[in-house]
Amino acid sequence: MLTLAVSVIGFVSFAQPDDDLTPEEKAYRDSIANLNETNAAIEKSQTAYNAGIELFKQKKYEGAINKFSESISADPNFTPAYYNKAIAENKAEKYKDAIKTIDALVKKKPGYAKAYFQRGRAYQGLNDYLSAEKDYQKSIQLDAKNPKAYYNFGTLKFLQKDYESAAAQFSKVIELSPKDAYAYNDRGSCYRMMEQYPKAIADYEAAARMNENLAFVLNNIGTTKTKMKSYDDALKAFNRALSVDTKFYLAYNNRGVTEMKMDRYEDAIKDFTKCIEINPNYAPAYSNRAGAYFKAGKYKEAKKDADKAISLDKNFADAYVNRGMAKEMLRDMNGACEDWHKAKELGSEKGKNYNSANCSN
């Protein structure tokens, strides 16, 4: 952002006292003084604004916010400072502050579509989905050609599990921006959630063609192929994902799940172990490895992994199911029933079935 070149206009100071100035001369003198003061304020505002832009580029959001605030204080009518301050506040996850900043901006510029988009992001950050939806709709109403508004609206609908509406928003993004790999990926995820697996695969593969370095897209192909019971194709997709990103722990975990379905328990254990090495705090990998150990007849190891998964996530229903199964084989039936009962309380259908079939409560 270039600093405005501001010319400060001076005037000649006459020797005569004020009483000797005509009303016209006094008015001219005052107007020049006011202009000089205004120009100085504009220059101060622009200097602070430019400093804020540079700090934002460096991801120093707190400093950027302070500079944009200085810009606004010097020139309260300089609307770009409000807008960029709100962006920085969203980046810093100061969502309430961003809302206040945009409130002030839209009072000055009520037809500014991007302002409503940023306020929608802030409301979404606060999980106020209704307010976010209204702002995204307002942004689209004011500017129907902005793909970002449709994209965020789509993510909002996805979070609300309205997958059909989300897919429609991502379709609009694709219409406006046909090379947006992320929009194809996210629409694919909508189709996957609706169990329309062939359509999901088509979108994921389109995203992969547009950007072959998106490991998460290849991982999504793998998980969808697993749901379709195309296990060999799933493994190929996970292998591709890991060739792009060797530290992608989710792909190791998901490849392990697929190997479990193929009764390849030792391979699955290796993949879950690799996942844990990369991310030691990922509870599902411990729970999954517990299931693999159980299938391999290693019940003590299974219980130990289930213990770890539960220590990381007290509400992890599958881990209680797996620990209950291990306890049953270790002849701790009371402990098994306690775990299955807990899993049932957490909404696990497996926990409910095991508890009903094996326990008195």
Side-chain angles (χ1 to χ4, degrees), residues 335-360:
C337 286
E338 288 176 1
D339 278 342
W340 291 330
H341 181 73
K342 179 64 175 179
K344 181 182 75 170
E345 288 182 341
L346 292 170
S348 169
E349 192 66 26
K350 285 185 178 179
K352 178 182 176 181
N353 292 338
Y354 279 120
N355 187 72
S356 176
N358 298 285
C359 308
S360 57

Side-chain angles (χ1 to χ4, degrees), residues 95-209:
Y95 301 121
K96 291 182 180 179
D97 291 343
I99 290 167
K100 291 179 181 178
T101 301
I102 295 297
D103 286 346
L105 174 55
V106 296
K107 286 181 181 178
K108 296 177 178 295
K109 202 171 181 180
Y112 193 15
K114 290 182 178 180
Y116 293 98
F117 170 73
Q118 287 299 330
R119 193 170 66 182
R121 289 185 61 195
Y123 279 126
Q124 187 169 341
L126 293 172
N127 295 321
D128 184 351
Y129 293 160
L130 181 60
S131 296
E133 183 171 327
K134 289 179 180 177
D135 270 346
Y136 289 144
Q137 288 175 324
K138 181 67 173 179
S139 180
I140 290 168
Q141 176 189 339
L142 291 168
D143 180 8
K145 299 296 184 181
N146 179 13
K148 290 182 179 180
Y150 294 102
Y151 187 90
N152 276 39
F153 197 6
T155 62
L156 185 67
K157 287 297 186 181
F158 189 93
L159 290 171
Q160 296 177 86
K161 300 183 179 181
D162 184 355
Y163 303 120
E164 187 172 350
S165 295
Q169 297 303 317
F170 293 130
S171 293
K172 189 64 178 179
V173 177
I174 291 166
E175 178 185 327
L176 294 169
S177 185
K179 298 298 183 181
D180 191 329
Y182 291 88
Y184 278 100
N185 175 79
D186 294 344
R187 190 175 68 177
S189 293
C190 294
Y191 291 138
R192 183 178 61 181
M193 296 305 294
M194 292 189 285
E195 299 184 358
Q196 298 179 25
Y197 300 133
K199 293 176 74 172
I201 291 294
D203 270 354
Y204 289 143
E205 289 181 343
R209 285 193 299 273

Side-chain angles (χ1 to χ4, degrees), residues 236-280:
K236 290 177 183 177
F238 294 131
N239 292 341
R240 286 175 62 199
L242 291 168
S243 72
V244 172
D245 182 358
T246 59
K247 298 296 184 181
F248 192 17
Y249 67 92
L250 290 176
Y252 284 108
N253 179 75
N254 293 333
R255 189 171 70 178
V257 170
T258 303
E259 289 161 342
M260 284 273 289
K261 293 181 179 295
M262 301 171 75
D263 298 332
R264 292 167 49 175
Y265 305 125
E266 292 301 328
D267 288 337
I269 289 168
K270 289 177 183 178
D271 270 341
F272 296 138
T273 300
K274 185 66 177 179
C275 175
I276 290 166
E277 288 174 359
I278 298 169
N279 186 352

Side-chain angles (χ1 to χ4, degrees), residues 4-60:
L4 292 179
V6 180
S7 299
V8 180
I9 302 173
F11 62 95
V12 177
S13 178
F14 295 97
Q16 71 266 34
D18 280 359
D19 289 344
D20 292 339
L21 296 177
T22 66
E24 291 78 8
E25 290 172 329
K26 289 181 180 180
Y28 177 71
R29 179 202 61 189
D30 292 343
S31 69
I32 294 298
N34 289 335
L35 181 58
N36 284 335
E37 184 178 340
T38 298
N39 286 338
I42 291 173
E43 183 174 19
K44 182 179 179 181
S45 176
Q46 283 288 326
T47 299
Y49 177 80
N50 290 339
I53 292 295
E54 290 305 313
L55 288 167
F56 185 90
K57 290 178 181 178
Q58 300 170 39
K59 299 184 179 181
K60 296 179 180 178

Side-chain angles (χ1 to χ4, degrees), residues 225-236 238 257-258 261-262:
K225 288 289 187 180
T226 298
K227 289 180 178 294
M228 298 170 74
K229 300 183 179 181
S230 299
Y231 300 134
D232 289 335
D233 288 339
L235 293 181
K236 290 177 183 177
F238 294 131
V257 170
T258 303
K261 293 181 179 295
M262 301 171 75

